[in-house]
Amino acid sequence: MTVRFLETPLSAGASGDPRRVARLQAARRRDGALAAALLADGAAAANVPRLLAAGSLAVTTGQQAGLFTGPLYAIHKALSAAALAKVMGEKGEGGEREIVPVFWVAGDDHDFAEINHCWVIGQDNKPAKIVLRERAAEAPMLPTYQERVGRDGAVALARLEELLPPGDARSETLAWLARSYAGADISLAEANARAMSELLGPFGVVVARGWSGALKRAARGVFESASSRVHEIDEALAARARELKAAGREIPVEVGDGLSLLMLEGAQGRDRLRLAGDAFVTRRGNERVARDSLTRVLDSSPELLSANVLLRPVVEAAVFPTVAYFGGPGELAYLEQADPLFALLGIPQPARLPRLSGLLIESKVDKVLEKYQLAIADLARDAGGLASQVARASLPAGAVGALAELRGSISERYAALQAEAMKMDRMLERPLTNLRNQALVGSEKAERKLVRALKRQSDEMLQQVMRARNQLYPDGHPQERTISAVSFLARHGRAVLDQVFEAACAHARRLLEAPSART
């Protein structure tokens, strides 16, 4: 294997103990109609009946339906859930109850600019962006499950094929994506769900179509409460916002002013509902919606109704008996803000846990780091600063020694001169100090000139370092938030996922070993 995974722990902390939540979960059977909302390949197929059976438990996570699986952290999240389910199962933490990992594809999401593209490392070792298409500014904000791949899908796949380096794993990777994205009539959400299901099947992960009417009907009670108890929910969230502000925390989602936690598809696409008297009004489209019509929507077209980012975790926990949810720092902040909703709506609150975070590092990158004595964090610097750092570290030993001697001599000689001058006039101390400092600045200017000369002469050295930076911190951003898993799957095959899963299992064990630190 020519790539390794290095964990870079997130600063966000865990809250709650999944084992305690498991004891609170009622052993109830779920409606068999839910099966239509689920996707499972390979080993995961056996987990579907387990998930629907009475007494099962779930570890969940989810993500928007990014093009070609989106950034790496979506995979990190999914494997975090799979790892915790595995570790809890091995330890018997669920008792006799099955524990199933679930990845919720948020196909209701309407932020097209976030999911219409992906980044890969091209054959030239530079990050390249593949865009499916842009959405016109005046177009309705359709949710992802309404956005078709269309003919653009074949163009994006062709562009991906141009960019990926040759190799056996490349062909396998392209074939996998073609199976999911090649149909013009398929939605972006469905294509993503299929791709994730096939990729994650060996780890037992069941993929849930988050936009499915079957899931919405299963969470009917949550949607009806969110519709009928707007003021009560608003007051609870306002109180929570005051608590967080008092603790110096930010409030990620706007609450108050009659804003509900419900979204409805209207003339302007997916739109948030605001309470206005005895009815709702869509926030952007200003369409009036009678309260009782939401019940009819749940009966006839439940896909049109969805939860906003605060309510969605409650919907997930209502549908599946969730013991823990894995998220990144932003999601954990949403969940912290949403704390009151679980008790208010009578849903057991899952533990919220930080997902696995880390870097996939190829052996050639390790060699560059060793050769130029760089720490991984150094590659996060801006390109110019990093180039200067490397050039400075590559200065010939003679030049480094001469600069050190020059600075030492300046300090030593000026100190001797200052001592003699002070005997004559103490007022000379400051002027001589200034002159010494100017001389030291001159030595720094001399060093910078040497570094610039070395940078001009060392194109190969800088290219090696920039290639390493492109892989770990493309444009200065963390790899997992930018680069798609496709890049590494095409270079190294699916064995890469085994390494990430191994790290995720270690991460899960650490989380279970320290529940006392969580509140």
Side-chain angles (χ1 to χ4, degrees):
M1 177 62 65
T2 57
V3 64
R4 66 184 176 94
F5 183 83
L6 175 68
E7 186 172 0
T8 54
L10 295 171
S11 58
S15 176
D17 185 343
R19 294 166 292 195
R20 178 178 178 276
V21 181
R23 295 191 291 270
L24 297 175
Q25 286 286 0
R28 56 187 172 84
R29 180 181 296 276
R30 271 146 295 286
D31 189 336
L34 276 177
L38 306 177
L39 279 170
D41 282 82
N47 274 341
V48 172
R50 291 171 182 151
L51 186 62
L52 299 179
S56 66
L57 300 169
V59 179
T60 66
T61 189
Q63 188 59 34
Q64 299 160 296
L67 182 66
F68 301 152
T69 72
L72 264 165
Y73 69 77
I75 305 300
H76 295 170
K77 292 167 77 172
L79 294 182
S80 295
L84 184 64
K86 179 178 185 290
V87 171
M88 288 184 69
E90 290 173 346
K91 293 176 173 290
E93 302 290 8
E96 300 297 320
R97 305 170 74 174
E98 299 277 2
I99 306 174
V100 178
V102 177
F103 186 87
W104 184 288
V105 176
D108 287 319
D109 195 277
H110 58 275
D111 194 340
F112 193 65
E114 287 193 1
I115 57 89
N116 70 340
H117 64 277
C118 77
W119 287 86
V120 296
I121 301 297
Q123 296 187 43
D124 60 358
N125 289 299
K126 294 180 181 179
K129 186 179 184 179
I130 301 172
V131 179
L132 184 74
R133 63 175 172 271
E134 301 291 351
R135 174 190 279 168
E138 67 278 7
M141 291 187 174
L142 295 178
T144 316
Y145 84 90
Q146 296 273 34
E147 286 280 3
R148 302 296 144 191
V149 170
R151 296 177 182 175
D152 302 311
V155 176
L157 283 168
R159 176 61 177 151
L160 179 65
E161 187 173 5
E162 290 176 5
L163 288 168
L164 293 179
D168 295 337
R170 173 181 182 269
S171 299
E172 177 190 3
T173 300
L174 289 168
W176 154 60
L177 289 174
R179 287 191 290 273
S180 299
Y181 284 88
D185 290 335
I186 197 171
S187 73
L188 275 172
E190 180 67 18
N192 177 272
R194 292 183 185 183
M196 294 294 278
S197 178
E198 184 177 336
L199 191 66
L200 300 171
F203 303 96
V205 177
V206 174
V207 173
R209 298 177 175 98
W211 66 95
S212 165
L215 294 186
K216 306 290 178 65
R217 289 192 180 100
R220 185 186 189 101
V222 173
F223 284 107
E224 289 178 340
S225 292
S227 169
S228 63
R229 303 169 66 183
V230 174
H231 290 303
E232 187 180 357
I233 289 172
D234 214 17
E235 289 173 1
L237 290 175
R240 180 60 173 157
R242 288 192 293 272
E243 290 176 5
L244 293 173
K245 284 182 179 178
R249 313 291 275 278
E250 292 187 7
I251 311 303
V253 182
E254 181 185 359
V255 296
D257 196 26
L259 285 171
S260 78
L261 304 183
L262 299 174
M263 312 285 286
L264 185 68
E265 290 179 47
Q268 297 297 317
R270 187 170 180 250
D271 214 341
R272 192 169 177 183
L273 294 175
R274 183 194 299 274
L275 192 62
D278 60 352
F280 289 105
V281 174
T282 56
R283 193 178 190 183
R284 293 192 313 276
N286 202 33
E287 299 167 80
R288 189 172 178 82
V289 181
R291 283 202 192 196
D292 58 3
S293 68
L294 295 183
T295 301
R296 293 195 294 274
V297 169
L298 283 170
D299 289 333
S300 60
S301 305
E303 295 87 356
L304 300 179
L305 189 64
S306 59
N308 84 333
V309 70
L310 293 181
L311 189 63
R312 187 164 65 201
V314 185
V315 170
E316 292 180 23
V319 173
F320 302 116
T322 308
V323 299
Y325 181 90
F326 278 96
E331 285 177 292
L332 295 182
Y334 293 141
L335 287 168
E336 188 176 30
Q337 187 180 355
D339 270 351
L341 296 176
F342 291 93
L344 195 62
L345 301 179
I347 306 296
Q349 183 171 8
R352 54 177 185 262
L353 303 176
R355 63 168 172 82
L356 177 73
S357 175
L359 297 163
L360 284 167
I361 306 173
E362 293 182 341
S363 58
K364 60 186 179 182
V365 173
D366 273 327
K367 290 176 182 177
V368 170
L369 293 171
E370 181 180 358
K371 181 177 180 179
Y372 298 111
Q373 299 180 356
L374 292 169
I376 287 173
D378 290 334
L379 297 182
R381 297 188 62 187
D382 67 274
L386 177 60
S388 295
Q389 177 183 341
V390 173
R392 185 172 286 106
S394 302
L395 283 172
V400 172
L403 284 167
E405 288 180 11
L406 174 62
R407 287 166 181 151
S409 177
I410 289 171
S411 296
E412 180 183 350
R413 296 305 178 190
Y414 263 98
L417 178 60
Q418 202 167 33
E420 293 300 320
M422 292 282 286
K423 295 175 183 177
M424 296 183 289
D425 186 349
R426 298 187 64 84
M427 297 295 291
L428 292 173
E429 179 181 13
R430 178 171 293 181
L432 288 174
T433 297
N434 291 337
L435 289 171
R436 181 202 62 193
N437 291 342
Q438 290 174 21
L440 289 172
V441 168
S443 71
E444 291 174 1
K445 288 181 178 179
E447 182 181 17
R448 286 198 293 271
K449 288 183 180 296
L450 295 175
V451 167
R452 282 196 294 271
L454 192 58
K455 285 168 67 176
R456 288 194 297 269
Q457 298 169 13
S458 305
D459 287 343
E460 182 179 353
M461 170 190 71
L462 294 178
Q463 286 174 12
Q464 289 177 351
V465 174
M466 288 305 122
R467 284 197 293 267
R469 181 178 184 266
N470 286 339
Q471 190 178 111
L472 300 190
Y473 290 95
D475 292 329
H477 303 297
Q479 175 197 82
E480 65 179 5
R481 299 198 65 82
T482 306
I483 302 301
S484 170
V486 172
S487 274
F488 293 94
L489 292 168
R491 282 173 164 79
H492 307 286
R494 297 195 180 187
V496 166
L497 299 181
D498 295 329
Q499 288 203 51
V500 179
F501 184 61
E502 183 179 342
C505 287
H507 178 66
R509 292 187 186 98
R510 286 194 296 273
L511 290 171
L512 288 175
E513 287 168 1
S516 59
R518 303 193 290 270
T519 57

